[in-house]
């Protein structure tokens, strides 16, 4: 199976809306990162596309992850980024994220500035990297559902009619 086919199969596990959003974000980030590696992880919790300066996950600059109901953009060194608009979320030691809801949030000025700042911070490593290369790094055998759980509507119990007159 080719990597293109594998990625298409990974995306097909999602609703059409989430799959399209993931693909749009991938394409957008590929324009920002024409050099380096796109590392693909079909993990237990999410499908992740990480953009890195090398084949190692530890060299990731940012990543996009698809969940059943939303897509999130992660910044590997998010704690070092200037965020005057306060769009970054999280309290970890290193990573920060932006939930891309609505999907148009990707194009917000504040989000674009964060992407550019992350790229500039990694420019010396990216300058030495080859043209963007996609690598499927891992596929978890066991995975959470990629589509939201379907809840059955609650149907009111039918009560017997109160018949009058013995009929």
């Amino acid at each position: 199976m080719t990597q293109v086919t594998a990625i298409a199969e990974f995306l097909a596990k999602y609703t059409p809306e989430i799959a399209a959003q993931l693909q749009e974000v991938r394409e957008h980030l590929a324009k920002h990162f024409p050099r380096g590696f796109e590392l693909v992880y079909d993990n237990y919790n999410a499908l992740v596309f990480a953009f890195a300066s090398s084949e190692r996950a530890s060299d990731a600059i940012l990543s996009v992850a698809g969940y059943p109901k939303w897509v999130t953009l992660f910044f590997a060194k998010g704690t070092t980024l200037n965020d005057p608009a306060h769009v970054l979320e999280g309290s970890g030691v290193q990573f920060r994220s932006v939930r891309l809801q609505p999907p148009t949030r990707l194009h917000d000025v504040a989000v674009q500035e964060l992407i550019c700042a992350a790229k500039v911070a990694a420019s010396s490593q990216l300058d030495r990297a080859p043209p963007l290369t996609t690598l499927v790094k891992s596929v978890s055998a066991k995975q959470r559902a990629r589509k939201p759980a379907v809840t059955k509507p609650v149907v009111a119990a039918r009560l017997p009619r109160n018949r009058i007159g013995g009929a």
Side-chain angles (χ1 to χ4, degrees), residues 12 26 48 70 81 93-94 99 115 127 134 144 157 159 165 167:
R26 277 185 73 210
V48 178
W70 64 81
L81 296 175
V93 176
Q94 191 171 336
R99 188 176 290 186
I115 292 170
D127 289 344
T134 299
R144 286 188 170 174
L159 300 174

Side-chain angles (χ1 to χ4, degrees), residues 13 24 38 47 50 53 59 63 65 68 79 87 97 102 114 116 125-126 128 133 135-136 139 154 156 158 161 164-165:
K13 297 174 190 174
E24 179 194 350
E38 179 189 36
L47 173 59
S53 58
D59 289 330
S63 61
T79 56
V87 297
S97 65
L114 290 166
C116 289
Q125 296 92 344
L126 288 168
R128 295 188 301 261
T133 304
L135 300 172
V136 175
V139 179
V154 177
R158 246 182 103 140
R161 290 186 179 173
I164 301 174

Side-chain angles (χ1 to χ4, degrees), residues 10-167:
F10 301 157
L11 290 168
K13 297 174 190 174
Y14 287 88
T15 61
E17 297 80 15
I18 295 295
Q21 186 183 6
L22 270 170
Q23 188 61 30
E24 179 194 350
V25 176
R26 277 185 73 210
E27 290 169 5
H28 182 81
L29 293 176
K31 290 176 187 171
H32 277 277
F33 295 90
R35 305 189 70 77
F37 293 85
E38 179 189 36
L39 310 176
V40 183
Y41 299 89
D42 195 17
N43 291 332
Y44 175 76
N45 286 317
L47 173 59
V48 178
F49 298 94
F51 289 81
S53 58
S54 79
E55 296 179 33
R56 299 180 321 176
S58 60
D59 289 330
I61 299 154
L62 49 75
S63 61
V64 59
Y67 298 96
K69 295 181 180 179
W70 64 81
V71 172
T72 300
L73 182 63
F74 290 92
F75 294 87
K77 295 182 179 173
T79 56
T80 66
L81 296 175
N82 185 22
D83 181 24
H86 305 289
V87 297
L88 291 174
E89 300 171 351
S91 58
V93 176
Q94 191 171 336
F95 278 79
R96 292 292 181 268
S97 65
V98 176
R99 188 176 290 186
L100 300 177
Q101 279 189 322
T104 56
R105 189 166 190 204
L106 172 66
H107 303 289
D108 287 356
V109 171
V111 173
Q112 290 303 303
E113 287 175 348
L114 290 166
I115 292 170
C116 289
K119 183 170 97 174
V120 166
S123 63
S124 62
Q125 296 92 344
L126 288 168
D127 289 344
R128 295 188 301 261
L132 188 63
T133 304
T134 299
L135 300 172
V136 175
K137 296 291 280 184
S138 74
V139 179
S140 296
K142 187 175 180 181
Q143 297 179 347
R144 286 188 170 174
R146 298 297 199 229
K147 294 181 180 175
V150 178
T151 56
K152 294 181 182 178
V154 177
V155 179
R158 246 182 103 140
L159 300 174
R161 290 186 179 173
N162 187 5
R163 296 191 178 213
I164 301 174

